[in-house]
């Protein structure tokens, strides 16, 4: 069983690009498209450019926010034509595909992974990048690095298909570890407990809300002058996304800060 790749299109303005993205996905064997604040995916142009990948467009799900679109995902990869400041780790397309291929064989088998694509002109906003656990850049000419959206989806879909094709269907190889894969580690029974997997984006949002409350109530964060603190903290935890049970420990610590218990 492989990971389930979900292609998330944010703010797409040209319907033809959604058609091209659907075609690119389907040629590489992917079908799950999610749309956030995007133009009409069922326009005549979108359907024409999909060249027969109408099913991908027709089954695409629409969401009001990126947070809602990725709520059930345990890995969220943002794509960008340029390196960003204060970003989660930036990897090439192939490196991400290899990491996911390796994780597919172990802990992340059957779990949802989002590949997030930005708007044609401006790319992904900082707020969208804040929700990502990894950043992907297709290596290309440094002086001319912005691919057409449909082309970017094609390259990413191709690399993923190559890396995931070797993942055997059926029972995953029992290896411990998070999504980094587990090269060289001793084999151990694979936990089927979802709390041993990287948390979902929805779980992370609850944690960030809690953390924010505590940072403000303790006076550590001035909400009128947050500067880059929120973003820094967020990106640290996203780059090292905790498992569900680790998150429960952090939430327990935050609750204890809010309501200190006296030691008997
Ligand atoms: N100036 C924008 C370019 C937007 S191109 C930026 O810095 O990202 C539209 C979308 O195509 C991007 O948001 C990204 O999802 C994808 N894309 C284009 N070129 C890419 C590249 N070299 N690597 C990764 N994604 C790319």
């Amino acid at each position: 069983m492989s990971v389930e790749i979900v292609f998330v299109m944010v703010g797409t303005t040209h319907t033809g690009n959604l058609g091209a993205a659907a075609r690119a996905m389907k040629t590489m064997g992917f079908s799950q498209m999610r749309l956030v604040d995007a133009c009409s995916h069922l326009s005549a142009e979108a359907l024409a450019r999909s060249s027969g990948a109408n099913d991908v467009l027709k089954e695409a799900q629409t969401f009001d926010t990126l947070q809602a679109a990725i709520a059930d995902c345990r890995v969220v990869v943002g794509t960008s034509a340029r390196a960003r400041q204060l970003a989660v780790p930036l990897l090439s397309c192939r490196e991400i595909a290899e990491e996911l291929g390796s994780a597919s064989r172990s802990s992340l088998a059957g779990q949802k992974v989002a590949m997030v694509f930005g708007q044609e002109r401006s790319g992904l906003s900082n707020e969208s990048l804040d929700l990502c656990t990894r950043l992907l850049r297709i290596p290309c000419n440094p002086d001319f690095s912005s691919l057409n959206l449909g082309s970017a989806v094609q390259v990413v879909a191709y690399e993923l298909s190559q890396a995931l094709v070797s993942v055997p269907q059926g029972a995953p190889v029992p290896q411990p570890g998070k999504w980094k894969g587990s090269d060289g580690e001793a084999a151990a029974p694979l936990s089927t407990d979802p709390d041993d997997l990287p948390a979902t984006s929805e779980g992370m949002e609850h944690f960030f809300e809690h953390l924010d409350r505590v940072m403000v109530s303790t006076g550590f964060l001035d909400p009128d002058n947050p500067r880059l603190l929120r973003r820094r903290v967020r990106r640290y935890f996203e780059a090292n996304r905790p498992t569900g049970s680790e998150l429960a420990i952090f939430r327990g610590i935050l609750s204890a800060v809010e309501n200190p218990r006296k030691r008997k």
Side-chain angles (χ1 to χ4, degrees), residues 7 15 20 54 75 135 137 158 172 180 214-215 219-220 263:
F7 285 76
T15 58
N54 300 16
V75 175
L135 197 55
R137 188 169 169 277
Y158 170 74
K180 290 185 187 85
V214 171
M215 288 199 299
F220 184 71
R263 196 171 286 283

Side-chain angles (χ1 to χ4, degrees), residues 79-82 117-121 123 138 140 145-147 149 152:
T79 59
S80 174
R82 56 198 161 90
F117 293 83
Q119 202 239 24
E120 288 91 338
R121 260 176 189 282
I138 299 165
C140 50
S145 64
S146 178
L147 277 76
L149 184 54

Side-chain angles (χ1 to χ4, degrees), residues 6-258:
V6 174
F7 285 76
V8 186
M9 313 300 295
V10 183
T12 315
T13 55
H14 295 291
T15 58
N17 281 337
L18 289 180
R23 178 181 186 177
M25 288 168 56
K26 191 168 176 179
T27 53
M28 296 298 137
F30 299 104
S31 60
Q32 293 196 55
M33 182 185 266
R34 295 183 181 179
L35 305 167
V36 180
D37 196 22
C39 54
S40 168
H41 59 294
L42 296 176
S43 72
E45 198 194 357
L47 293 168
R49 287 283 302 281
S50 78
S51 299
N54 300 16
D55 48 339
V56 173
L57 292 172
K58 286 187 178 146
E59 281 156 31
Q61 296 172 282
T62 53
F63 295 85
D64 290 338
T65 62
L66 178 56
Q67 280 181 346
I70 58 171
D72 55 353
C73 298
R74 297 185 189 273
V75 175
V76 181
V77 180
T79 59
S80 174
R82 56 198 161 90
R84 311 287 187 121
Q85 271 192 321
L86 249 194
V88 290
L90 171 75
L91 300 175
S92 75
C93 199
R94 188 156 299 170
E95 287 168 326
I96 294 270
E98 281 167 1
E99 264 194 308
L100 288 173
S102 159
S104 282
R105 281 179 222 106
S106 56
S107 52
L108 278 185
Q111 300 299 320
K112 288 200 175 63
V113 169
M115 309 302 296
V116 186
F117 293 83
Q119 202 239 24
E120 288 91 338
R121 260 176 189 282
S122 49
L124 290 169
S125 66
N126 278 331
E127 289 66 33
S128 293
L129 290 170
D130 282 347
L131 305 176
C132 298
T133 59
R134 289 285 184 277
L135 197 55
L136 176 157
R137 188 169 169 277
I138 299 165
C140 50
N141 180 351
D143 300 325
F144 196 70
S145 64
S146 178
L147 277 76
N148 162 268
L149 184 54
S151 306
V153 172
Q154 185 75 70
V155 174
V156 170
Y158 170 74
E159 288 289 354
L160 290 175
S161 72
Q162 294 303 296
L164 299 177
V165 80
S166 57
V167 177
Q169 300 293 305
V173 179
Q175 284 180 347
K178 291 196 207 172
W179 80 286
K180 290 185 187 85
S182 337
D183 297 343
E185 288 177 31
L190 184 74
S191 167
T192 50
D193 187 344
D195 280 344
D196 290 339
L197 296 171
T200 60
S201 291
E202 186 178 26
M204 293 301 286
E205 283 317 308
H206 293 313
F207 168 63
F208 287 129
E209 282 162 21
H210 198 171
L211 185 60
D212 208 78
R213 271 204 313 276
V214 171
M215 288 199 299
V216 171
S217 68
T218 53
F220 184 71
L221 171 70
D222 176 359
D224 296 327
N225 187 20
R227 286 177 297 187
L228 289 176
L229 184 62
R230 277 196 176 110
R231 179 155 287 153
R232 285 214 150 104
V233 169
R234 192 179 244 283
R235 293 203 173 168
Y236 171 78
F237 280 105
E238 284 297 21
N240 305 283
R241 193 176 271 206
T243 63
S245 50
E246 287 164 347
L247 213 54
I249 295 172
F250 287 129
R251 301 239 7 213
I253 294 170
L254 293 173
S255 297
V257 171
E258 286 175 313

